[in-house]
Amino acid sequence: MYRKLCFGLFAVALLQGCATYVEHKLSSRVEPLGIPANMPEVIADLGGEQRQFCMPYLDGCTQYLYAPPITDVNKRNFEFTAVGENTTQEYKLSLNRQQIPEARRGTMVMLHGYGGSKETMFFLAEYYRFLGFHVVIPDLKGHGGSSHEQPGFAVDDVAMITTLINSLPARERPHPLFITGFSMGALAAVHVARQRNDISGLVLLAPMRQFEDAVYEVSKITHEQTSKIVSEKSIREGVQKTLMKRDIDPATLDLHQVLPPVKVPTLILASNVDNVAPFEYFKTLESRYVNVKEIPERHHFLMAIIDPKMHEHLYPWLQRRR
């Protein structure tokens, strides 16, 4: 009996420790995804500028990328190769000025997902630039070039994003103003739109589902071995503790709760094989303002990569917003 009791207490302590570990990881500066060392040079060669934006009243600084539209070329090829453990997938799209007959005018603010950075969105930014957009891509709190040590979990990023937008000269952020958000960045995009009255459209790529579910599904992808040791219950408890300590209501991280009140044209692109952001989960959000389209057989972390299928949905939708 005594041995059983000790084992039971040990198991409880272990589970609590696992939940604390999850909370610690979520509350710490995010470990960056692998980005090529020469990426800053590549971005500079393509006409992008890395800048610093400081907000004294928000107690920190962040870096962001700015790039103007591409208007001096008649053709652009977009190529990306994703190398996995067992497969290699190539994404290719070629566009010319006959297909894109007139350059748009406007600004696209782009928000990366949890674990990403401004650089991870630049491939898609090149597509937007060819369409005629100015692009602005900040590092969110706790990521990349942000001075904050804790992530903002979308809701705490809003003040920084909207202040950055307001700080840009009019020539660098002409209207109409759009926001593209990937994964957690999609939730941040919606919260920014809730606080501004000048957003003309939202593009949500694989938007994060309910936070507990999303963290659990991502952990199975990015920490496969650890997820076999740390139980689902511990992961969910760690998420709950994190949000409680940050005083963040879980409902503010649920797209089904925060998007319907936003009367802004919205395009959601999601994959049928993405457990972090499954297409079927968002299909019920279809409405007068919201279009939900499927990108088949696409891994979650590749949902910000442009290809013919994504262009087929994205370009006509943007054209209707002119």
Side-chain angles (χ1 to χ4, degrees):
M1 178 69 178
Y2 175 75
R3 292 180 62 186
K4 289 182 178 179
L5 177 61
C6 286
F7 181 79
L9 291 174
F10 173 76
V12 169
L14 181 62
L15 289 175
Q16 289 177 339
C18 289
T20 301
Y21 169 78
V22 172
E23 178 196 339
H24 170 73
K25 294 295 288 184
L26 287 174
S27 299
S28 303
R29 170 170 282 277
V30 182
E31 298 175 4
L33 296 172
I35 298 174
N38 68 335
M39 194 63 181
E41 289 79 11
V42 171
I43 291 173
D45 288 343
L46 291 171
E49 300 177 27
Q50 179 171 290
R51 299 174 176 177
Q52 185 90 347
F53 175 66
C54 291
M55 309 146 285
Y57 76 97
L58 295 176
D59 300 320
C61 299
T62 197
Q63 293 178 357
Y64 71 98
L65 296 173
Y66 165 78
I70 297 172
T71 59
D72 58 349
V73 297
N74 292 320
K75 184 178 181 180
R76 202 64 186 263
N77 296 319
F78 305 91
E79 299 181 359
F80 185 89
T81 301
V83 180
E85 291 185 2
N86 302 313
T87 61
T88 297
Q89 184 68 46
E90 294 187 347
Y91 299 90
K92 296 182 179 181
L93 173 67
S94 294
L95 296 176
N96 58 51
R97 285 299 171 205
Q98 285 68 47
Q99 296 164 293
I100 313 296
E102 58 181 74
R104 296 181 51 86
R105 285 196 172 275
T107 304
M108 185 66 74
V109 178
M110 304 180 68
L111 307 177
H112 64 77
Y114 184 89
S117 68
K118 58 189 178 299
E119 291 83 5
T120 60
M121 300 296 285
F122 200 76
F123 184 79
L124 181 59
E126 285 295 280
Y127 168 77
Y128 282 136
R129 293 178 67 200
F130 190 71
L131 301 189
F133 284 99
H134 295 252
V135 296
V136 179
I137 319 173
D139 279 319
L140 301 184
K141 284 187 174 182
H143 294 74
S146 165
S147 67
H148 294 87
E149 289 303 313
Q150 291 188 325
F153 297 117
V155 292
D156 286 344
D157 289 300
V158 174
M160 179 273 291
I161 297 166
T162 197
T163 305
L164 170 59
I165 293 171
N166 293 339
S167 74
L168 294 169
R171 68 180 181 278
E172 293 184 352
R173 59 170 179 92
H175 286 269
L177 180 61
F178 293 82
I179 308 178
T180 290
F182 165 63
S183 196
M184 183 175 282
L187 266 295
V190 175
H191 281 286
V192 171
R194 287 168 66 99
Q195 293 196 13
R196 300 182 68 97
N197 60 9
D198 60 350
I199 304 301
S200 296
L202 298 172
V203 178
L204 309 182
L205 306 174
M208 183 185 68
R209 64 190 294 181
Q210 200 276 339
F211 191 48
E212 271 188 44
D213 296 333
V215 172
Y216 176 60
E217 293 297 337
V218 168
S219 71
K220 291 193 293 185
I221 300 172
T222 60
H223 297 80
E224 184 177 355
Q225 296 304 317
T226 305
S227 66
K228 294 177 181 177
I229 301 172
V230 182
S231 69
E232 178 180 350
K233 181 180 178 182
S234 294
I235 292 174
R236 293 183 181 276
E237 287 181 356
V239 172
Q240 293 166 10
K241 287 183 178 180
T242 301
L243 296 184
M244 189 176 301
K245 283 193 174 182
R246 294 289 296 276
D247 195 27
I248 296 175
D249 183 351
T252 63
L253 298 181
D254 184 352
L255 201 67
H256 283 269
Q257 301 294 319
V258 300
L259 182 59
V262 179
K263 307 306 181 186
V264 171
T266 301
L267 175 65
I268 297 176
L269 298 179
S271 171
N272 60 320
V273 297
D274 180 2
N275 291 330
V276 180
F279 169 75
E280 289 298 329
Y281 182 80
F282 303 109
K283 187 61 180 173
T284 57
L285 288 170
E286 188 89 32
S287 70
R288 173 187 171 187
Y289 291 96
V290 179
N291 294 112
V292 184
K293 300 297 182 181
E294 182 178 2
I295 305 296
E297 306 299 318
R298 183 73 72 93
H299 188 283
H300 180 71
F301 296 120
L302 297 175
M303 281 297 295
I305 303 301
I306 193 68
D307 71 346
K309 188 66 176 179
M310 187 176 290
H311 171 69
E312 175 187 317
H313 294 307
L314 186 50
Y315 181 63
W317 184 86
L318 287 169
Q319 285 295 90
R320 293 195 294 273
R321 308 278 86 77
R322 290 191 301 175

